[in-house]
Every structure is written in C-alpha cells, then in structure tokens.
Amino acid sequence: MSTLVAATLVALPGLALANADLEKLMSNPKNWASQAGDMYNQRYSTLKQINKSNVGKMQVAWTFSTGVLRGHEGSPLVIDGTMYLHSPFPNKVFAIDLETQTIKWKYEPKQDPQVIPQMCCDTVNRGLAYAEGKIFLQQADSMLVALDAKTGNKLWDVKNGDPKLGAVNTNAPHVFKDKVITGISGGEWGVRGFLAAYDINTGKQAWKGYSVGPDSEILIDPQKTTTWADGKVTPVGPDSSLKTWQGDQWKIGGGTTWGWYSYDKALNAVFYGTGNPSTWNPSQRPGDNKWTMSIWSRDVDSGKVNWVYQMTPFDEWDFDGINEMILADIPVKGKPTKALVHFDRNGFAYTLDRTNGALLVAEKYDPAVNWATHVDMKSGRPQVVSKYSTAQNGADVNTKGICPAALGSKDQQPASFDPETKLFYVPTNHVCMDYEPFKVEYTAGQPYVGATLSMYPAPNSHGGMGNYITWDAGSGKIVQSKSEKFSVWSGALNTAGGISCYGTLEGYLKCVDKNDIKKELFKFKTPSGIIGNVFTYEHKGKQYLGVFSGIGGWAGIGMAAGLEKDQDGLGAVGGYRELSKYTELGGSLTVFALPN
C-alpha cells in the first residue's frame, strides 16, 4: 500500500475496511483464508483447473489423521503454502507444510474433560480464523486463543464463557477489521446468548451484545434499531425483548450464537443468527421470547444493533436460528438488491434487504414442512398449524408428525452461492419428529431441555433423509433437488469450473454439474461420514479439493458418543440408527487432485 493511499484511508474514517491483510489473502484464490473463503459466506472459488469435464478423474493426493474420533465440522485454512487444521475436543491445531505434508507445529490445549458432558450435540469445533500472522482458536472450554501462525506459540487468551454453567463453544471465530468475533453455545443449559468482539492484538473485549434482556445489554437503541412489522421497517421501541418474557425467564433465556457470521464492509455490519429460547417446553416461557430465533445486523466497531428480525416467535420446536447468513447482490422479484439469504432450521428460506432488514421473500425450501402454512409478509410471522403446535397441545402431550424435526430442514452445514448461476446450493435434511414437552426446573450447569423427541424420515417422500437443492432466492423457489439416503450434513462448495461439491453422512464426497445437480460427476468414499465443509486451494500451479471426514455432530451423535436409546441425542439416535451400517468413526482430511 502506498503512503498516499494509506494517508487517504486514514483521512476518510467513513470508508470501512475489512481486515486489509485478510482481504488481500482472500482475493488470491490459491488460498482458502477463512472458513467460507470470503466474508460474504458465499463458499465460491474462481479456481477452475478442476472442472466439470475432468473432475471425474480426481484421485486422492494425500490424507491426514487428526487422531480424534469425534465429529469433524468446518474445514482447514490454507494461507501461502501452509494449511492450518483443527480437531474436535481437545481442539488440536496443526500447521502443515503443503510442499512436504510435514507438521510445522502442533498446539494441543489442556482442557478439563468435564467440558465434554456440557456439550449438547457432540464435541465438534467449526474451525479456525486467521489475520495478521495469527491463528485464532475458539476452544470448547470457552477460551479464545491467539497463536503465532509461524510458531504456534500462544500470544494471548481470554475466557469467553463459563463451562460449569454450560456456556461452552463450538463456533469458528471470525475476523472483521481489527476484531475477532465469537459467540457462545449452551442453549440447552439455559445459557443467555451473546456475540462478543475482541481486539485481535491484545484479546481485550471491545463489546458484548446479548440476545435477550435489557436494551442496554443487547446494545439496542429503541429509536434507531429497527425491525420488520406491519409491512415496513420500523423502530423496535423500548424494552422490545423484556416485554416478551415472563418475569426473569430471560436471564436463562437461550438465544445462543454458535453459527457462522458474515460481514459487509460497505455497511460495516456483521450478520448472524440467534438460537432457541430455553427451555424447550414452551408453556414455561409464554411470549415471543425476543430476540431468540432472529437475524441480526450489528455495527462491527460498537456492536450496536442496526436491525433485527425474529423468524420463529415463541419457538415451540427448537428451530434454532443460527444458520449462516449469505450476502449476495441478486435480483429479487426483478429488482437489484443487496440481499441477505438465510436457510433457517424452521424450513423457510428468507431473503432480506441487508441494508435495512426489510423482509422480501420467505418460502419453504422443503415441501414436507407442515408446522406453519406460510409466513405472513406483513407481520413477518409464520402462520402456525394448531395440530403441530406443542404449546397449544400442552405439556406432557406427544405432538406427532411435525416437519421438520428439531434439527431443521438445514442445520449449521453451510450452503454456497454461485455468482454465475445466481443460485444457492443447499445441503438439506428431510426429517420429521414427535415432540413431547414436560416441566423442567432450572439448575445451573445442568441440561435444561424439557422435551422428549423421536425423529424419522419425512413420510410420503423420496424415501431418503436428505436432499441437495438449488434455490432461487429472488423468487423463493426450488430449482432442482437431488435426493440422498441420509441428511446432507456437509458444507457445499461451488467453483468457476462448473462444479458443486458436498459430502454425505455415509462418507462420500460428491461433485455435480452446477447447471444440472442431478448429473453426478465424481463420487469417492472417504474413511468416515462427512459433516465437514468442502474447500479448495492451489499449490505450485495445481488445484486441490479437500474435506474432513469424521462422523458425529447432531446427526451422528449416536455413533460419536456411543448412545443407543432411540430418544437419546435429543431424538437423533433413533432417526439415524441405520447410519452405522454405512460408516464408522474417523477423523481425517482427504485431499484430491487431478492425476499428473
């Protein structure tokens, strides 16, 4: 950067920069410098050496075992010839020389194993972040750690939560500007959710914004923070959260933030989602339970809330709202739009104007969704079907046949956006449930669920538990759907080579023609089921494509944790019992390339 340009940037405080170092690394497609490859969460690469005409010839180039047999989510980072890998608990970090595949350094934190039973749905970790010579790791025990990228030496660490209260971490940290942003897990323990920002150089907390509670703690301005109501963008008004909780229930109210975050530097805004309210028994927390189950826009410098939109008021089904927010400039109903697109657990795909939070599209992206008929576009509220309302049916009543199940039409597995086709490529679940709420007392540090679940494939469907779909977010329509035997629990990747790739729970890496996803071009069985995210990079003129395999996560919790009763794992064990016929525990990275 020239002195003149640098001086100009300093002189223009209104001109927002993302982290300049990270932006530069991201702009080089040889790297995979963040979990989504960019700050918009698009998961798209301009590399095209591997393309739809030759992807079928891919071979395994190399593999690496993490030495951990639990669910492997997220993906490694690749920065200037070095790959940085993470593992589930105990959250090992490896730096690998891409030339020799040798380990340059390894970091293995010493964490109390008592953290493990405080993690609801496997001991997963969704990955690392990088900026300015530092690797950022969000450990399960809530310690946020900065490591020297060259040596692995710890530069600083900071405590983000209290595992003794169930406040643990599974999310990947994200770097925007001079801050590393992280959230918190533990909605099933009555943890009160928040998003926090720390200085990347010192670890000092810059701000912390809660999901529920008083305006001052959420960082809401009642007059300036807006929401969608009565068909328009309107101020939230005072006590917008407190008014929707009974008594002090908000203090153990959930709204955790363990998903993926995106950033628009022109707006200087971070976008993310909040999770379910606590407890899962809705009769114990009457009201809309704001601002759980919501899409948020916050100012990165101050944490102040620009706008917030609640998707599932008074959640009765655990339709956690943490899935990624994908930013894309697309036509919506014929009008060019700075859009935010979100595929929610509740089975509706939302398209909002990310500049102001206006609701533009809300449509089902799985035809099996039955708990609501539609989203009323004026109020923004889903229209609930009484038959499937666990609150109306009451505690100790087993409400049957709710679609989707609590793990949603899509969980945290991220979709991709392709700027060439203007379509979204979405890994989905096709699963329904029976849900019986019951009264539960809050005890600090103990599970605070209050519901028994059973899960099973959606009836009268293709017979499988998953689909890989393409979605038109401007009109709210499925373009194509490719069925899979099990839920597609892997993050997608699209490239300029005309391919779209994802993994399956049985362990197959698959690449399809992005213009016709029913056309399968490549299929390879990796050592274990895939819940990791596909990524790509280039080294010495050769393109590589890789993915973690290691069954686990919510879908694979029965195998990962050795659970056997159908209703264990919050109902997932019974739903995915057949999975054990197709795969076994693992923990490895498989990297593919074209033959020399």
Side-chain angles (χ1 to χ4, degrees):
M1 189 184 287
S2 73
T3 309
L4 180 62
V5 172
T8 304
L9 293 176
V10 170
L12 293 171
L15 180 63
L17 272 179
N19 185 286
D21 170 56
L22 186 53
E23 260 192 306
K24 185 180 174 186
L25 291 168
M26 286 175 175
S27 68
N28 180 355
K30 295 177 182 179
N31 296 315
W32 191 259
S34 69
Q35 283 298 317
D38 60 43
M39 295 184 184
Y40 271 26
N41 276 349
Q42 292 186 355
R43 302 193 53 76
Y44 173 83
S45 172
T46 57
L47 295 181
K48 54 187 177 184
Q49 187 183 93
I50 298 171
N51 56 57
K52 64 182 177 184
S53 66
N54 62 23
V55 67
K57 298 174 184 172
M58 276 200 314
Q59 298 174 348
V60 175
W62 60 281
T63 62
F64 182 84
S65 171
T66 65
V68 183
L69 295 179
R70 292 297 287 248
H72 282 60
E73 292 184 347
S75 74
L77 303 178
V78 176
I79 291 146
D80 293 343
T82 300
M83 180 181 286
Y84 299 94
L85 274 87
H86 67 284
S87 85
F89 188 95
N91 307 137
K92 300 179 188 178
V93 181
F94 302 89
I96 295 178
D97 187 315
L98 289 180
E99 185 60 29
T100 59
Q101 286 107 56
T102 52
I103 298 170
K104 295 167 81 168
W105 56 259
K106 171 183 165 184
Y107 173 79
E108 185 167 354
K110 300 288 182 255
Q111 298 186 70
D112 186 341
Q114 290 304 310
V115 171
I116 294 173
Q118 300 291 75
M119 304 180 79
C120 102
C121 313
D122 201 9
T123 58
V124 296
N125 181 285
R126 297 190 178 89
L128 308 165
Y130 174 92
E132 298 181 19
K134 301 174 192 68
I135 290 290
F136 300 96
L137 165 68
Q138 178 61 79
Q139 294 176 189
D141 64 3
S142 94
M143 295 302 291
L144 178 65
V145 181
L147 305 173
D148 186 307
K150 283 194 168 65
T151 65
N153 293 334
K154 189 191 291 186
L155 300 172
W156 56 257
D157 61 12
V158 61
K159 190 174 169 69
N160 185 57
D162 186 352
K164 289 192 174 77
L165 301 179
V168 295
N169 273 101
T170 55
N171 63 281
H174 291 64
V175 173
F176 306 131
K177 297 180 78 171
D178 60 346
K179 294 175 179 64
V180 55
I181 312 265
T182 190
I184 199 74
S185 302
E188 282 61 60
W189 271 251
V191 169
R192 181 181 169 217
F194 61 82
L195 202 70
Y198 297 91
D199 183 283
I200 63 172
N201 294 309
T202 64
K204 184 182 177 186
Q205 190 177 97
W207 53 261
K208 181 178 186 177
Y210 283 94
S211 306
V212 300
D215 292 343
S216 60
E217 295 181 14
I218 303 177
L219 307 183
I220 273 179
D221 182 319
Q223 276 70 51
K224 292 180 181 175
T225 300
T226 59
T227 192
W228 182 256
D230 198 28
K232 61 183 184 291
V233 172
T234 185
V236 294
D239 299 328
S240 59
S241 174
L242 289 178
K243 284 175 181 173
T244 65
W245 292 90
Q246 193 171 64
D248 283 346
Q249 183 72 28
W250 60 270
K251 292 180 178 177
I252 49 172
T256 52
T257 49
W258 48 273
W260 310 93
Y261 322 135
S262 51
Y263 174 70
D264 184 333
K265 68 176 183 176
L267 301 170
N268 198 38
V270 56
F271 302 91
Y272 69 102
T274 48
N276 56 286
S278 304
T279 152
W280 286 21
N281 178 5
S283 64
Q284 290 182 236
R285 46 169 176 79
D288 279 357
N289 307 143
K290 286 182 166 67
W291 292 98
T292 64
M293 316 301 267
S294 299
I295 299 173
W296 298 68
S297 167
R298 283 188 190 266
D299 180 86
V300 162
D301 293 327
S302 65
K304 287 180 180 172
V305 183
N306 300 314
W307 57 261
V308 57
Y309 163 70
Q310 189 175 43
M311 297 166 289
T312 314
F314 185 48
D315 168 59
E316 309 169 41
W317 312 269
D318 183 47
F319 291 152
D320 222 327
I322 61 85
N323 296 352
E324 76 286 355
M325 308 297 157
I326 306 174
L327 311 184
D329 298 341
I330 55 171
V332 178
K333 298 176 180 172
K335 182 184 174 188
T337 304
K338 289 188 176 300
L340 173 153
V341 177
H342 171 76
F343 299 91
D344 196 61
R345 283 251 288 267
N346 70 14
F348 287 87
Y350 295 84
T351 306
L352 285 79
D353 182 328
R354 67 179 184 266
T355 68
N356 61 10
L359 179 64
L360 305 175
V361 176
E363 297 289 347
K364 296 176 184 180
Y365 64 99
D366 182 352
V369 172
N370 65 13
W371 68 276
T373 54
H374 66 286
V375 172
D376 176 73
M377 295 302 287
K378 190 173 183 187
S379 67
R381 297 178 73 95
Q383 303 303 289
V384 176
V385 176
S386 296
K387 179 182 176 183
Y388 302 115
S389 167
T390 69
Q392 289 178 43
N393 295 340
D396 305 314
V397 174
N398 193 14
T399 299
K400 296 186 174 182
I402 304 164
C403 304
L407 41 68
S409 293
K410 187 178 88 60
D411 202 304
Q412 61 77 37
Q413 59 272 36
S416 60
F417 170 72
D418 195 301
E420 294 175 6
T421 64
K422 300 285 191 209
L423 296 175
F424 293 78
Y425 295 72
V426 193
T428 73
N429 311 318
H430 201 57
V431 185
C432 303
M433 68 175 172
D434 302 340
Y435 189 114
E436 183 175 345
F438 58 84
K439 186 171 169 54
V440 61
E441 296 297 330
Y442 173 76
T443 303
Q446 296 298 313
Y448 184 54
V449 178
T452 303
L453 276 63
S454 300
M455 298 187 194
Y456 39 84
N460 306 317
S461 72
H462 57 76
M465 295 176 77
N467 293 281
Y468 192 61
I469 69 167
T470 49
W471 178 259
D472 181 339
S475 62
K477 288 187 171 62
I478 296 171
V479 179
Q480 274 193 310
S481 182
K482 180 180 185 292
S483 64
E484 290 287 351
K485 181 170 180 59
F486 295 104
S487 299
V488 188
W489 210 276
S490 152
L493 172 77
N494 273 45
T495 79
I499 57 173
S500 184
C501 303
Y502 63 95
T504 74
L505 283 177
E506 308 101 298
Y508 289 106
L509 173 69
K510 295 187 175 186
C511 293
V512 297
D513 184 329
K514 74 183 187 185
N515 292 305
D516 180 5
I517 60 168
K518 294 187 177 183
K519 191 187 282 185
E520 211 168 88
L521 305 172
F522 176 81
K523 178 180 174 181
F524 182 91
K525 185 89 181 271
T526 64
S528 182
I530 297 174
I531 62 169
N533 303 334
V534 189
F535 70 106
T536 189
Y537 66 94
E538 184 183 302
H539 180 66
K540 289 207 163 175
K542 195 172 182 70
Q543 184 184 355
Y544 296 84
L545 196 143
V547 70
F548 273 135
S549 65
I551 194 66
W554 195 355
I557 186 63
M559 295 185 69
L563 306 177
E564 295 189 351
K565 294 178 185 172
D566 281 359
Q567 290 173 335
D568 282 351
L570 303 172
V573 173
Y576 292 88
R577 185 168 295 286
E578 199 185 353
L579 192 54
S580 62
K581 294 179 183 177
Y582 292 85
T583 192
E584 190 44 277
L585 297 182
S588 58
L589 173 73
T590 308
V591 178
F592 301 85
L594 296 172
N596 288 325

